[in-house]
Amino acid sequence: MKIVNKIADVRLEVGNAKKAGKLVGFVPTMGFLHPGHISLVKIAGENSEFVVMSIFVNKLQFNDLNDFNGYPKDLERDIAIAENGGVDLLFLPDDKEMYRSNLTTVDVDLITENLCGAHRPGHFKGVFTVVSKLFNIVQPDIAVFGQKDIQQAVSIEKMVYDLNFPVKIIVAPTVRESDGLAMSSRNKHLSEKQRKEALSLSRSFAACEKLIDSGERDAEKISESIRAVILEGSPDSIDYISIVKYEDLSYAEKIDGKTVVAVAAFWGTTRLIDNMIIDKKDDGYICIY
Ligand code: AMP
Protein backbone atom coordinates (compact mmCIF):
# COMPACT_ATOMS: atom_id res chain seq x y z
CA MET A 1 0.00 0.00 0.00
CA LYS A 2 1.29 3.44 -0.92
CA ILE A 3 0.54 6.42 1.29
CA VAL A 4 0.36 9.91 -0.20
CA ASN A 5 -0.52 13.33 1.19
CA LYS A 6 -0.53 15.41 -1.97
CA ILE A 7 -3.16 15.69 -4.70
CA ALA A 8 -0.44 15.59 -7.36
CA ASP A 9 0.75 12.22 -6.04
CA VAL A 10 -2.79 10.79 -6.10
CA ARG A 11 -3.09 11.84 -9.73
CA LEU A 12 0.26 10.24 -10.56
CA GLU A 13 -0.54 6.90 -8.88
CA VAL A 14 -4.09 6.71 -10.22
CA GLY A 15 -2.82 7.74 -13.67
CA ASN A 16 -0.34 4.84 -13.61
CA ALA A 17 -3.05 2.39 -12.56
CA LYS A 18 -5.32 3.59 -15.36
CA LYS A 19 -2.47 3.37 -17.90
CA ALA A 20 -2.04 -0.24 -16.82
CA GLY A 21 -5.69 -0.77 -17.73
CA LYS A 22 -6.97 -0.99 -14.17
CA LEU A 23 -10.41 0.14 -13.03
CA VAL A 24 -10.13 2.44 -10.02
CA GLY A 25 -12.33 2.00 -6.95
CA PHE A 26 -12.66 4.60 -4.21
CA VAL A 27 -13.71 4.58 -0.55
CA PRO A 28 -13.80 8.00 1.14
CA THR A 29 -13.70 7.93 4.96
CA MET A 30 -13.02 10.08 8.00
CA GLY A 31 -10.83 7.41 9.57
CA PHE A 32 -10.92 5.59 12.91
CA LEU A 33 -11.48 2.58 10.72
CA HIS A 34 -13.62 -0.41 11.66
CA PRO A 35 -14.85 -3.49 9.77
CA GLY A 36 -17.68 -1.42 8.21
CA HIS A 37 -15.11 0.65 6.34
CA ILE A 38 -13.18 -2.46 5.33
CA SER A 39 -16.34 -4.08 3.96
CA LEU A 40 -16.51 -1.14 1.52
CA VAL A 41 -12.88 -1.72 0.54
CA LYS A 42 -13.70 -5.37 -0.13
CA ILE A 43 -16.63 -4.42 -2.37
CA ALA A 44 -14.45 -1.82 -4.13
CA GLY A 45 -11.86 -4.56 -4.71
CA GLU A 46 -14.48 -6.88 -6.18
CA ASN A 47 -15.48 -4.18 -8.66
CA SER A 48 -12.10 -2.67 -9.56
CA GLU A 49 -8.40 -3.51 -9.65
CA PHE A 50 -6.93 -0.51 -7.80
CA VAL A 51 -8.53 0.63 -4.54
CA VAL A 52 -8.00 4.14 -3.22
CA MET A 53 -9.08 5.11 0.29
CA SER A 54 -9.04 8.65 1.64
CA ILE A 55 -8.99 9.57 5.32
CA PHE A 56 -9.93 13.18 5.89
CA VAL A 57 -11.95 14.57 8.79
CA ASN A 58 -13.80 17.20 6.83
CA LYS A 59 -14.40 20.24 9.03
CA LEU A 60 -16.89 21.64 6.49
CA GLN A 61 -19.44 18.94 7.27
CA PHE A 62 -19.46 19.39 11.05
CA ASN A 63 -22.21 21.71 12.26
CA ASP A 64 -20.93 21.28 15.82
CA LEU A 65 -17.33 22.27 16.55
CA ASN A 66 -17.19 20.06 19.67
CA ASP A 67 -18.15 17.09 17.52
CA PHE A 68 -15.34 17.95 15.10
CA ASN A 69 -12.74 18.46 17.83
CA GLY A 70 -13.75 15.23 19.58
CA TYR A 71 -13.86 13.09 16.42
CA PRO A 72 -11.78 9.96 17.22
CA LYS A 73 -8.42 9.56 15.51
CA ASP A 74 -5.76 6.86 15.42
CA LEU A 75 -3.78 7.18 12.24
CA GLU A 76 -1.22 4.46 12.94
CA ARG A 77 -3.94 1.93 13.59
CA ASP A 78 -5.86 3.11 10.50
CA ILE A 79 -2.81 2.64 8.28
CA ALA A 80 -2.41 -0.97 9.46
CA ILE A 81 -6.15 -1.71 9.01
CA ALA A 82 -6.21 -0.15 5.52
CA GLU A 83 -3.13 -2.10 4.44
CA ASN A 84 -4.50 -5.43 5.76
CA GLY A 85 -7.89 -4.61 4.26
CA GLY A 86 -6.56 -4.43 0.71
CA VAL A 87 -6.21 -0.70 0.06
CA ASP A 88 -3.68 0.04 -2.72
CA LEU A 89 -3.40 3.79 -2.26
CA LEU A 90 -4.14 5.68 0.96
CA PHE A 91 -4.68 9.41 0.55
CA LEU A 92 -4.12 11.42 3.75
CA PRO A 93 -4.46 15.09 2.88
CA ASP A 94 -4.35 17.87 5.46
CA ASP A 95 -6.64 20.92 5.54
CA LYS A 96 -4.14 23.00 3.58
CA GLU A 97 -4.08 20.48 0.76
CA MET A 98 -7.88 20.11 0.61
CA TYR A 99 -9.27 23.56 1.20
CA ARG A 100 -8.81 26.41 -1.23
CA SER A 101 -10.94 29.55 -1.21
CA ASN A 102 -14.01 27.59 -0.04
CA LEU A 103 -16.18 29.92 -2.12
CA THR A 104 -17.58 27.07 -4.20
CA THR A 105 -19.94 24.54 -2.69
CA VAL A 106 -22.09 21.68 -3.95
CA ASP A 107 -25.55 20.98 -2.64
CA VAL A 108 -28.42 18.64 -3.45
CA ASP A 109 -31.94 19.99 -2.86
CA LEU A 110 -35.08 18.27 -1.55
CA ILE A 111 -33.63 14.90 -0.52
CA THR A 112 -31.50 16.62 2.08
CA GLU A 113 -34.48 18.36 3.71
CA ASN A 114 -35.62 15.48 5.94
CA LEU A 115 -33.80 13.12 8.30
CA CYS A 116 -30.29 14.33 9.21
CA GLY A 117 -30.59 17.28 6.81
CA ALA A 118 -33.26 18.78 9.07
CA HIS A 119 -31.13 18.37 12.20
CA ARG A 120 -27.59 19.15 11.01
CA PRO A 121 -27.69 22.44 9.08
CA GLY A 122 -24.92 22.69 6.48
CA HIS A 123 -23.77 19.11 7.07
CA PHE A 124 -24.65 17.72 3.65
CA LYS A 125 -23.33 20.73 1.75
CA GLY A 126 -19.97 20.01 3.41
CA VAL A 127 -20.23 16.33 2.47
CA PHE A 128 -21.14 16.93 -1.20
CA THR A 129 -18.45 19.58 -1.58
CA VAL A 130 -15.70 17.36 -0.22
CA VAL A 131 -16.92 14.27 -2.10
CA SER A 132 -17.01 16.28 -5.36
CA LYS A 133 -13.47 17.46 -4.70
CA LEU A 134 -12.32 13.92 -3.91
CA PHE A 135 -14.00 12.57 -7.06
CA ASN A 136 -12.16 15.20 -9.12
CA ILE A 137 -8.88 14.40 -7.38
CA VAL A 138 -9.13 10.59 -7.53
CA GLN A 139 -11.27 10.25 -10.69
CA PRO A 140 -12.49 6.79 -9.70
CA ASP A 141 -14.55 4.49 -11.93
CA ILE A 142 -16.55 3.28 -8.93
CA ALA A 143 -17.05 4.59 -5.39
CA VAL A 144 -18.55 2.71 -2.45
CA PHE A 145 -20.71 4.28 0.28
CA GLY A 146 -22.39 2.59 3.25
CA GLN A 147 -26.12 2.08 3.74
CA LYS A 148 -25.35 3.12 7.33
CA ASP A 149 -25.45 6.75 6.11
CA ILE A 150 -28.42 6.24 3.85
CA GLN A 151 -29.24 9.90 3.22
CA GLN A 152 -25.63 10.51 2.22
CA ALA A 153 -25.59 7.50 -0.12
CA VAL A 154 -28.90 8.32 -1.85
CA SER A 155 -28.00 12.01 -2.23
CA ILE A 156 -24.58 11.19 -3.66
CA GLU A 157 -26.25 8.89 -6.20
CA LYS A 158 -28.39 11.90 -7.16
CA MET A 159 -25.43 14.31 -7.23
CA VAL A 160 -23.45 12.01 -9.52
CA TYR A 161 -26.46 11.66 -11.81
CA ASP A 162 -27.30 15.38 -11.90
CA LEU A 163 -23.71 16.59 -12.33
CA ASN A 164 -22.62 13.84 -14.77
CA PHE A 165 -19.75 12.53 -12.66
CA PRO A 166 -18.37 9.53 -14.57
CA VAL A 167 -18.42 7.30 -11.50
CA LYS A 168 -20.63 4.38 -10.54
CA ILE A 169 -21.92 4.49 -6.95
CA ILE A 170 -22.31 1.25 -5.01
CA VAL A 171 -24.27 1.25 -1.73
CA ALA A 172 -22.91 -1.38 0.67
CA PRO A 173 -24.85 -3.08 3.51
CA THR A 174 -24.44 -1.92 7.12
CA VAL A 175 -21.91 -3.94 9.12
CA ARG A 176 -23.01 -4.58 12.72
CA GLU A 177 -21.43 -5.80 15.92
CA SER A 178 -22.53 -9.34 16.84
CA ASP A 179 -25.18 -7.88 19.18
CA GLY A 180 -26.70 -5.73 16.42
CA LEU A 181 -25.16 -2.30 17.07
CA ALA A 182 -24.26 -0.66 13.75
CA MET A 183 -20.50 -0.12 13.66
CA SER A 184 -19.54 3.54 13.85
CA SER A 185 -16.44 5.50 14.75
CA ARG A 186 -18.67 7.37 17.21
CA ASN A 187 -19.47 4.21 19.25
CA LYS A 188 -16.14 4.78 21.01
CA HIS A 189 -17.75 7.68 22.89
CA LEU A 190 -20.48 5.47 24.45
CA SER A 191 -20.17 4.26 28.02
CA GLU A 192 -20.79 0.55 28.54
CA LYS A 193 -24.29 1.32 29.83
CA GLN A 194 -25.11 3.61 26.89
CA ARG A 195 -23.76 1.05 24.44
CA LYS A 196 -26.16 -1.59 25.83
CA GLU A 197 -29.06 0.87 25.77
CA ALA A 198 -28.29 1.84 22.17
CA LEU A 199 -29.03 -1.73 21.09
CA SER A 200 -32.66 -0.58 21.23
CA LEU A 201 -32.05 0.97 17.76
CA SER A 202 -31.45 -2.33 16.00
CA ARG A 203 -34.05 -4.04 18.22
CA SER A 204 -36.60 -1.52 16.98
CA PHE A 205 -35.93 -2.72 13.42
CA ALA A 206 -36.52 -6.33 14.42
CA ALA A 207 -39.88 -5.24 15.89
CA CYS A 208 -40.63 -3.26 12.74
CA GLU A 209 -39.79 -6.27 10.57
CA LYS A 210 -42.29 -8.39 12.53
CA LEU A 211 -44.99 -5.76 11.99
CA ILE A 212 -44.26 -5.60 8.26
CA ASP A 213 -44.34 -9.40 8.07
CA SER A 214 -47.73 -9.36 9.81
CA GLY A 215 -49.04 -7.06 7.07
CA GLU A 216 -48.86 -3.62 8.74
CA ARG A 217 -48.21 -0.87 6.17
CA ASP A 218 -49.23 2.29 8.01
CA ALA A 219 -46.17 4.52 8.57
CA GLU A 220 -47.50 6.19 11.72
CA LYS A 221 -48.27 2.87 13.41
CA ILE A 222 -44.86 1.51 12.45
CA SER A 223 -43.15 4.68 13.76
CA GLU A 224 -45.00 4.36 17.07
CA SER A 225 -43.82 0.80 17.55
CA ILE A 226 -40.23 1.81 16.72
CA ARG A 227 -40.40 4.71 19.18
CA ALA A 228 -41.65 2.42 21.95
CA VAL A 229 -38.70 0.05 21.48
CA ILE A 230 -36.11 2.85 21.22
CA LEU A 231 -37.48 4.44 24.41
CA GLU A 232 -36.81 1.16 26.25
CA GLY A 233 -33.12 2.06 25.74
CA SER A 234 -33.60 5.41 27.56
CA PRO A 235 -31.97 7.67 24.96
CA ASP A 236 -31.36 11.25 26.10
CA SER A 237 -33.31 12.39 23.07
CA ILE A 238 -34.64 11.13 19.77
CA ASP A 239 -33.81 13.38 16.80
CA TYR A 240 -36.14 11.60 14.40
CA ILE A 241 -37.89 8.40 13.47
CA SER A 242 -38.77 8.80 9.80
CA ILE A 243 -40.32 6.59 7.18
CA VAL A 244 -39.43 7.86 3.72
CA LYS A 245 -39.49 6.73 0.10
CA TYR A 246 -36.08 5.47 -1.02
CA GLU A 247 -36.06 7.34 -4.34
CA ASP A 248 -36.34 10.89 -2.99
CA LEU A 249 -36.47 10.47 0.80
CA SER A 250 -39.85 12.20 0.96
CA TYR A 251 -42.18 11.15 3.80
CA ALA A 252 -44.24 8.04 3.15
CA GLU A 253 -47.70 7.64 4.67
CA LYS A 254 -47.60 3.92 4.08
CA ILE A 255 -45.17 1.30 2.93
CA ASP A 256 -45.62 1.17 -0.82
CA GLY A 257 -42.49 0.25 -2.76
CA LYS A 258 -38.88 0.69 -1.67
CA THR A 259 -38.91 2.53 1.67
CA VAL A 260 -36.39 3.62 4.29
CA VAL A 261 -36.97 3.62 8.04
CA ALA A 262 -34.32 5.95 9.48
CA VAL A 263 -33.66 6.84 13.11
CA ALA A 264 -31.31 9.15 14.99
CA ALA A 265 -30.99 9.40 18.76
CA PHE A 266 -28.63 10.72 21.39
CA TRP A 267 -27.07 8.84 24.25
CA GLY A 268 -25.30 11.56 26.21
CA THR A 269 -23.63 13.75 23.59
CA THR A 270 -23.21 10.86 21.16
CA ARG A 271 -25.59 10.96 18.24
CA LEU A 272 -26.24 7.58 16.64
CA ILE A 273 -28.00 6.96 13.35
CA ASP A 274 -29.29 3.73 11.90
CA ASN A 275 -31.72 2.65 9.20
CA MET A 276 -33.53 -0.21 7.59
CA ILE A 277 -34.50 -0.56 3.93
CA ILE A 278 -37.84 -2.19 3.19
CA ASP A 279 -37.85 -3.53 -0.35
CA LYS A 280 -40.42 -5.39 -2.44
CA LYS A 281 -39.77 -9.09 -2.77
CA ASP A 282 -42.11 -11.60 -4.42
CA ASP A 283 -45.59 -10.84 -3.01
CA GLY A 284 -44.33 -9.13 0.14
CA TYR A 285 -41.45 -7.12 1.56
CA ILE A 286 -37.95 -7.86 2.74
CA CYS A 287 -36.25 -5.80 5.47
CA ILE A 288 -32.54 -5.07 5.10
CA TYR A 289 -30.65 -3.75 8.13
P1 AMP B 1 -17.16 7.73 7.87
O1 AMP B 1 -15.73 7.43 8.08
O2 AMP B 1 -18.00 7.52 9.08
O3 AMP B 1 -17.39 9.04 7.17
O4 AMP B 1 -17.69 6.61 6.86
C1 AMP B 1 -17.07 6.37 5.64
C2 AMP B 1 -17.91 5.40 4.84
O5 AMP B 1 -18.07 4.19 5.58
C3 AMP B 1 -19.32 5.94 4.55
O6 AMP B 1 -19.69 5.56 3.23
C4 AMP B 1 -20.15 5.22 5.59
O7 AMP B 1 -21.51 5.05 5.20
C5 AMP B 1 -19.45 3.87 5.66
N1 AMP B 1 -19.75 3.19 6.91
C6 AMP B 1 -19.66 3.69 8.17
N2 AMP B 1 -20.08 2.77 9.06
C7 AMP B 1 -20.45 1.67 8.37
C8 AMP B 1 -20.98 0.39 8.73
N3 AMP B 1 -21.22 0.05 9.98
N4 AMP B 1 -21.25 -0.49 7.73
C9 AMP B 1 -21.01 -0.16 6.43
N5 AMP B 1 -20.52 1.03 6.03
C10 AMP B 1 -20.24 1.94 6.97
Side-chain angles (χ1 to χ4, degrees):
M1 182 180 79
K2 272 206 176 163
I3 301 176
V4 294
N5 307 103
K6 300 287 173 206
I7 292 168
D9 292 329
V10 177
R11 292 201 195 281
L12 190 74
E13 296 298 332
V14 170
N16 286 340
K18 287 195 173 176
K19 264 186 230 148
K22 294 180 179 175
L23 281 178
V24 174
F26 180 43
V27 178
T29 80
M30 298 205 299
F32 209 69
L33 301 179
H34 52 66
H37 295 112
I38 294 308
S39 74
L40 309 191
V41 171
K42 189 165 175 282
I43 291 171
E46 287 161 3
N47 290 276
S48 70
E49 291 95 33
F50 187 76
V51 178
V52 183
M53 172 187 272
S54 61
I55 297 181
F56 180 63
V57 184
N58 173 36
K59 200 172 179 178
L60 282 183
Q61 73 187 64
F62 284 81
N63 53 315
D64 173 354
L65 202 60
N66 286 333
D67 188 20
F68 172 74
N69 289 328
Y71 201 81
K73 290 180 190 68
D74 190 341
L75 192 54
E76 245 175 71
R77 184 172 153 272
D78 282 354
I79 289 172
I81 293 176
E83 176 141 42
N84 289 333
V87 172
D88 296 300
L89 182 69
L90 183 61
F91 178 39
L92 306 174
D94 61 12
D95 284 2
K96 217 171 125 239
E97 188 69 3
M98 283 301 284
Y99 298 134
R100 294 186 161 185
S101 71
N102 290 343
L103 294 175
T104 311
T105 53
V106 181
D107 214 349
V108 181
D109 287 342
L110 283 176
I111 52 179
T112 52
E113 281 178 4
N114 301 335
L115 314 180
C116 288
H119 294 267
R120 299 186 67 189
H123 164 66
F124 281 113
K125 190 152 84 171
V127 171
F128 305 138
T129 302
V130 82
V131 170
S132 298
K133 284 170 69 68
L134 288 166
F135 281 177
N136 285 331
I137 292 164
V138 177
Q139 304 198 4
D141 298 290
I142 63 136
V144 190
F145 291 85
Q147 177 190 328
K148 164 78 184 3
D149 299 276
I150 189 71
Q151 192 169 21
Q152 170 175 287
V154 173
S155 311
I156 285 174
E157 281 180 326
K158 189 65 81 192
M159 177 188 89
V160 160
Y161 175 75
D162 280 348
L163 298 184
N164 305 84
F165 278 99
V167 52
K168 182 181 165 206
I169 302 299
I170 299 176
V171 181
T174 301
V175 176
R176 296 176 182 278
E177 305 283 357
S178 55
D179 56 12
L181 185 69
M183 288 189 183
S184 165
S185 307
R186 289 195 161 86
N187 292 351
K188 176 192 184 327
H189 295 312
L190 296 170
S191 69
E192 206 154 304
K193 179 168 173 276
Q194 290 170 331
R195 201 199 161 287
K196 272 200 190 125
E197 290 171 345
L199 294 178
S200 61
L201 292 178
S202 55
R203 270 208 319 274
S204 78
F205 295 149
C208 177
E209 185 172 18
K210 271 197 187 149
L211 266 184
I212 303 278
D213 287 347
S214 73
E216 184 61 74
R217 298 288 179 262
D218 184 79
E220 211 171 302
K221 284 196 184 132
I222 294 170
S223 289
E224 276 165 24
S225 92
I226 289 177
R227 183 176 299 275
V229 179
I230 294 178
L231 286 174
E232 286 170 15
S234 312
D236 288 279
S237 66
I238 296 178
D239 250 4
Y240 62 79
I241 296 166
S242 297
I243 300 188
V244 294
K245 296 174 190 164
Y246 184 93
E247 54 173 24
D248 60 2
L249 304 185
S250 64
Y251 292 116
E253 279 177 21
K254 61 187 181 85
I255 310 296
D256 181 17
K258 197 168 179 180
T259 307
V260 178
V261 177
V263 300
F266 278 92
W267 273 269
T269 54
T270 308
R271 183 177 186 274
L272 298 182
I273 57 171
D274 205 344
N275 71 82
M276 173 170 101
I277 295 175
I278 303 168
D279 205 358
K280 268 213 146 98
K281 186 160 186 234
D282 304 327
D283 289 345
Y285 282 94
I286 174 174
C287 296
I288 306 156
Y289 59 102

